[in-house]
Amino acid sequence: MNAEPLSSQDVLARLAAVVAERRRGDPERSYVARLFHKGHDALLKKIGEEATETVMAAKDGDPRKLVGEVADLWFHCLLVLEAHGLRPADVLAELERREGRSGLEEFAARKLQDRERREERQP
C-alpha cells in the first residue's frame, strides 16, 4: 500500500478539526474545552506563556526542546484561530501571499495600509 505522505497543511487541518470538536466538549474532561470555558483571556494568556517558553528554549539551544515548545505554541495558536472562526488554511494563504516578497517590502506595505486605514477614519 502506497500511502501518500501527509502535508503539513493536512496535519494542521486535522488538528484544527479536533480542536473545533473538543471546544464543545466537557471542560472536566477536555483541556481544549476547559480553556474555551475559561474565556478568551485564558486562551491569550496561554499564547503568551507558550511564546515565552519558546523563546527560552531557543535561548537554551536544545533543538528537541525548541521543537516541543513551538509545537505547544502552534497548538495554542490553533485555539485562538478557532475562537475567531479562522483555520490554518487562512494563515497558510497569508504566508503564501507573502512568499517571494522581502520582509522589508512586506513591512512597508503593511505600514502604508495602516496609514490609509487611519486616514479613512478621519472626518
Side-chain angles (χ1 to χ4, degrees):
M1 181 167 132
N2 287 334
E4 203 173 305
L6 292 175
S7 73
S8 299
Q9 185 171 353
D10 294 333
V11 172
L12 290 171
R14 279 199 336 267
L15 188 52
V18 169
V19 165
E21 179 184 320
R22 291 187 182 167
R23 176 184 186 173
R24 296 179 298 278
D26 179 359
E28 296 297 319
R29 299 184 60 167
S30 166
Y31 172 74
V32 171
R34 184 177 308 146
L35 274 179
F36 275 99
H37 182 73
K38 288 181 179 181
H40 198 68
D41 285 349
L43 295 173
L44 299 178
K45 182 178 178 186
K46 280 306 289 182
I47 294 281
E49 290 172 10
E50 298 302 342
T52 299
E53 290 171 6
T54 298
V55 169
M56 291 167 49
K59 189 169 177 70
D60 290 345
D62 180 345
R64 287 176 53 137
K65 188 174 180 183
L66 178 58
V67 167
E69 293 302 341
V70 170
D72 290 346
L73 177 59
W74 286 11
F75 175 78
H76 289 89
C77 286
L78 289 175
L79 300 182
V80 172
L81 289 172
E82 168 66 23
H84 288 272
L86 298 167
R87 299 283 174 261
D90 298 311
V91 177
L92 294 171
E94 176 61 14
L95 289 171
E96 188 174 351
R97 184 191 69 76
R98 295 179 185 186
E99 188 176 13
R101 290 180 84 172
S102 88
L104 296 175
E105 286 175 6
E106 183 62 30
F107 179 73
R110 279 187 271 154
K111 199 171 181 179
L112 178 62
Q113 286 176 342
D114 289 345
R115 187 178 320 125
E116 289 171 349
R117 285 186 194 120
R118 282 193 305 274
E119 289 172 0
E120 287 174 359
R121 284 186 243 144
Q122 293 178 353

